[in-house]
């Protein structure tokens, strides 16, 4: 399915293989529409980042691995993801690796995808863990406007029209916070991304730095 709009700009085929189609269907089945659309947009924004950096698809990076990582990166925010005994990034990475294993994806690709998903909220680390990891994190950031000046309004419109934003800016935070509120220790360990969201609502935990005193 090639996606385009009135500007004549188009996106690459979303489901160019049965496996990609299965991945898309899996995400649409498990995730809230706003999260699923964010995940799909993140892949196409990651491609924009790669193009901007003059990286060659399937030469400088594995496009299948990037697709799997970007599209599956928020599985941990689904109901099955919340049931896992890990923070949402790790739960999602495990779920993605398990799905790909069922479809016969080689372990070396699954490992790349696992790293990319588990670390996508860890800026400064993703750049050290390979180009797919870096592009996955960058694509998710561009969807929220982070370091996105190189993307034109026309290019962004194609992606946003294909996968409407559905109030993602106000949808994703509450999901992360609700997981943290229901299972604080597991879902929002100190200094994790989820902890940041949790503390934005509940305030900073002074005991974390002051239990042993300041002297």
């Amino acid at each position: 399915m090639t996606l385009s709009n009135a500007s004549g700009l188009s996106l690459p085929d979303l489901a160019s293989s049965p496996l990609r189609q299965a991945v898309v269907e899996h995400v649409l089945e498990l995730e809230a529409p706003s999260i699923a659309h964010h995940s799909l947009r993140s892949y196409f924004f990651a491609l924009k980042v790669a193009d901007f950096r003059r990286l060659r698809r399937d030469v400088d990076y594995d496009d299948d691995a990037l697709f799997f990582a970007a599209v599956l990166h928020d599985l941990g925010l689904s109901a099955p993801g919340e049931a896992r005994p890990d923070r949402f990034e790790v739960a999602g990475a495990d779920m993605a690796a398990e799905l790909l294993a069922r479809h016969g994806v080689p372990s070396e690709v699954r490992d790349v995808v696992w790293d990319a998903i588990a670390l996508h909220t860890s800026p400064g680390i993703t750049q050290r863990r390979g180009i797919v990891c870096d592009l996955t994190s960058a694509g998710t950031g561009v969807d929220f406007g982070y370091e996105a000046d190189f993307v034109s309004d026309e290019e962004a419109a194609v992606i946003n029209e294909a996968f409407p934003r559905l109030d993602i800016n106000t949808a994703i935070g509450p999901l992360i916070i609700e997981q943290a509120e229901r299972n604080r220790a597991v879902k929002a360990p100190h200094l994790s991304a989820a902890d940041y969201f949790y503390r934005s609502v509940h305030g900073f935990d002074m005991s974390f730095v002051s239990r042993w005193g300041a002297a």
Side-chain angles (χ1 to χ4, degrees):
M1 176 174 60
T2 300
L3 304 167
S4 62
N5 72 358
S7 70
L9 300 172
S10 63
L11 302 179
D13 196 342
L14 177 64
S16 57
S17 72
L19 177 53
R20 288 195 179 205
Q21 182 64 48
V23 165
V24 172
E25 291 174 355
H26 189 72
V27 165
L28 292 173
E29 177 184 359
L30 292 187
E31 295 179 358
S34 59
I35 305 300
H37 282 207
H38 159 63
S39 299
L40 292 162
R41 290 193 307 270
S42 293
Y43 167 67
F44 291 110
F45 281 125
L47 293 182
K48 296 295 183 186
V49 175
D51 289 345
F52 179 69
R53 297 179 183 176
R54 298 185 179 180
L55 298 173
R56 298 163 294 173
R57 190 180 307 187
D58 290 328
V59 176
D60 297 314
Y61 65 94
D62 182 337
D63 186 45
D64 278 338
L66 178 60
F67 179 89
F68 301 145
V71 175
L72 297 170
H73 82 270
D74 271 339
L75 279 179
L77 295 178
S78 66
E82 181 171 3
R84 300 271 179 137
D86 298 288
R87 52 192 282 189
F88 82 91
E89 304 97 326
V90 175
D94 286 345
M95 293 173 69
E98 291 162 10
L99 173 67
L100 297 178
R102 292 196 296 271
H103 285 277
V105 175
S107 61
E108 57 268 25
V109 176
R110 300 199 308 267
D111 287 346
V112 169
V113 171
W114 194 96
D115 276 1
I117 294 175
L119 294 172
H120 80 270
T121 61
S122 301
I125 297 176
T126 56
Q127 296 91 331
R128 303 292 188 93
R129 298 304 301 160
I131 191 60
V132 168
C133 192
D134 190 15
L135 289 175
T136 300
S137 179
T140 63
V142 170
D143 190 45
F144 290 106
Y146 180 69
E147 295 188 347
D149 289 348
F150 68 93
V151 180
S152 71
D153 290 342
E154 292 77 14
E155 291 173 314
V158 177
I159 298 171
N160 289 324
E161 289 173 13
F163 308 104
R165 301 191 65 81
L166 304 178
D167 295 320
I168 183 60
N169 286 36
T170 57
I172 194 167
L175 276 178
I176 296 171
I177 293 165
E178 287 164 12
Q179 282 197 4
E181 289 173 338
R182 287 190 285 264
N183 195 343
R184 174 80 176 91
V186 168
K187 294 299 182 180
H190 279 300
L191 303 182
S192 65
D195 183 51
Y196 168 83
F197 280 92
Y198 181 88
R199 290 302 167 196
S200 71
V201 172
H202 296 283
F204 187 68
D205 183 4
M206 293 303 295
S207 66
F208 176 57
V209 293
S210 65
R211 179 185 174 193
W212 305 118

